[in-house]
Amino acid sequence: MAVSKKRKTLKVQEAGARLRAAGLRPTRQRVALAQLLGAGHRHVSAESLHQEALKAGMPVALATVYNTLNQFTEAGLLREVVVGSGRSYFDTNTDAHQHFYCEDDGSLVDIPGKTIEVAGVPVPPRGMTIERVEVVVRLKRA
Amino acid sequence: MAVSKKRKTLKVQEAGARLRAAGLRPTRQRVALAQLLGAGHRHVSAESLHQEALKAGMPVALATVYNTLNQFTEAGLLREVVVGSGRSYFDTNTDAHQHFYCEDDGSLVDIPGKTIEVAGVPVPPRGMTIERVEVVVRLKRA
DNA sequence: ATTTCAATTTGGAATAGTTCTAAACTGTGT
DNA sequence: ACACAGTTTAGAACTATTCCAAATTGAAAT
């Protein structure tokens, strides 16, 4: 048989523990999604994660995937990456880091945290605080 | 009567000239929109520009506004700024510069071109070239 | 184990922003 | 004035996401 490249998933236990730690009730669906997201650094869209869950034999409604991704993001388990209107990516790497974004195929590639240095960020307008400085390096096929 | 703050618009002539220079046929609608966009630095959405055109007595279909904004962007007359999914802004300032984005009210404020310095941008993946390095400083109400 | 109830999930409808389509119209060259 | 490619238009279609009200479920109490 052909060598199948299977993605590693988290154990149910560990996924549940992470959810509890984040203050989220570990329901069947949330645990399933946390398992899929849990291992390694990944970039997913609601749609792609939904497909993945179905293929993995963990049926979840698309609306639940949306809810869950948003809750995980609020809880600090994920980071939302905005690259283009109409496309939302969620990044399992919540550390400070940046991205390459290829406009041709919509793919996203990490740039490690310490690589890019941003200097000279001005003081924000009155009554505002900086939440995050986001850098996206937009690419085109050469 | 109250002092009305009226936005300056371009003369028809000048708007037409700009369009020709960009290789776009100066139709009535394109001229009208170019007039509205022409003076000063602005951030518009398709919807906001559409409203503005209607109020200015220059009826244009929303679809035309979309077409036109996209054409202007392709022609280098505008720059698209991506800040959040579902929201597309077009910036009349096409020089290299960055933005503050306030997540609370969706507003966009320019950061002048030379203010922010980005260092350490890595070499792009094989066969790719950097089209633009985009920096968005996300703000929250303090 | 059973009961209880708020939290969660669900499928479908609803919404928002944008693009598409086919027919009507218009700018420009002759 | 004429012709025609380019443009505009209204509305349908589409995509990504959120909303909704009903059904289900996890966890705490009995």
Side-chain angles (χ1 to χ4, degrees):
Chain A
M1 84 180 196
V3 179
S4 83
K5 208 193 296 188
K6 191 188 275 179
R7 182 175 288 284
K8 212 168 47 181
T9 61
L10 243 47
K11 292 211 190 79
V12 176
Q13 264 85 325
E14 191 176 354
R18 287 198 194 181
L19 292 174
R20 265 179 239 282
L24 295 166
R25 223 211 290 196
T27 64
R28 181 158 33 71
Q29 297 79 330
R30 296 216 269 233
V31 171
L33 297 178
Q35 286 186 266
L36 293 173
L37 291 171
H41 287 170
R42 311 195 50 195
H43 300 128
V44 302
S45 66
E47 197 62 54
S48 75
L49 185 59
H50 183 223
Q51 289 306 317
E52 201 178 325
L54 296 187
K55 276 180 198 145
M58 302 158 157
V60 182
L62 181 56
T64 302
V65 176
Y66 274 103
N67 288 339
T68 304
L69 285 173
N70 288 146
Q71 291 154 356
F72 283 13
T73 301
E74 264 180 73
L77 263 31
L78 293 177
R79 157 161 305 174
E80 194 168 359
V81 184
V82 173
V83 281
S85 51
R87 252 170 216 280
S88 243
Y89 283 110
F90 294 86
D91 193 335
T92 57
N93 180 3
T94 57
D95 299 337
H97 70 286
Q98 313 297 165
H99 297 96
F100 279 125
Y101 174 63
C102 178
E103 313 207 306
D104 297 304
D105 62 4
S107 67
L108 210 58
V109 177
D110 281 324
I111 299 175
K114 300 283 164 50
T115 315
I116 289 183
E117 186 80 34
V118 180
V121 175
V123 175
R126 275 217 139 283
M128 297 278 145
T129 44
I130 294 178
E131 196 224 342
R132 182 145 59 100
V133 177
E134 206 166 69
V135 179
V136 174
V137 180
R138 292 179 177 269
L139 302 177
K140 278 244 172 87
R141 237 184 284 285
Chain B
M1 85 181 197
V3 179
S4 84
K5 209 193 294 186
K6 191 188 275 180
R7 182 176 287 284
K8 210 168 48 182
T9 61
L10 242 46
K11 292 211 189 81
V12 176
Q13 263 85 325
E14 191 177 353
R18 287 197 194 182
L19 292 174
R20 265 179 237 282
L24 294 167
R25 214 207 293 195
T27 63
R28 182 158 32 72
Q29 296 79 335
R30 296 216 268 235
V31 171
L33 297 178
Q35 286 186 265
L36 293 173
L37 291 171
H41 287 171
R42 311 195 50 196
H43 300 128
V44 303
S45 66
E47 196 62 55
S48 75
L49 184 59
H50 183 223
Q51 288 306 318
E52 201 177 324
L54 296 188
K55 276 180 199 145
M58 302 160 158
V60 181
L62 181 56
T64 302
V65 177
Y66 274 103
N67 289 338
T68 304
L69 286 173
N70 287 146
Q71 291 154 357
F72 284 12
T73 301
E74 265 180 73
L77 264 30
L78 293 177
R79 157 161 303 175
E80 194 168 358
V81 185
V82 173
V83 283
S85 50
R87 254 170 214 277
S88 243
Y89 282 110
F90 294 86
D91 193 335
T92 56
N93 180 3
T94 58
D95 299 337
H97 70 287
Q98 314 297 166
H99 297 97
F100 280 123
Y101 175 62
C102 178
E103 313 208 306
D104 297 304
D105 61 4
S107 66
L108 208 57
V109 177
D110 280 324
I111 299 175
K114 300 283 165 50
T115 317
I116 288 184
E117 186 79 34
V118 180
V121 175
V123 174
R126 274 216 140 284
M128 298 278 144
T129 43
I130 295 178
E131 198 225 338
R132 182 144 59 101
V133 177
E134 206 166 70
V135 179
V136 175
V137 181
R138 293 181 176 270
L139 303 177
K140 279 243 173 87
R141 239 185 283 285

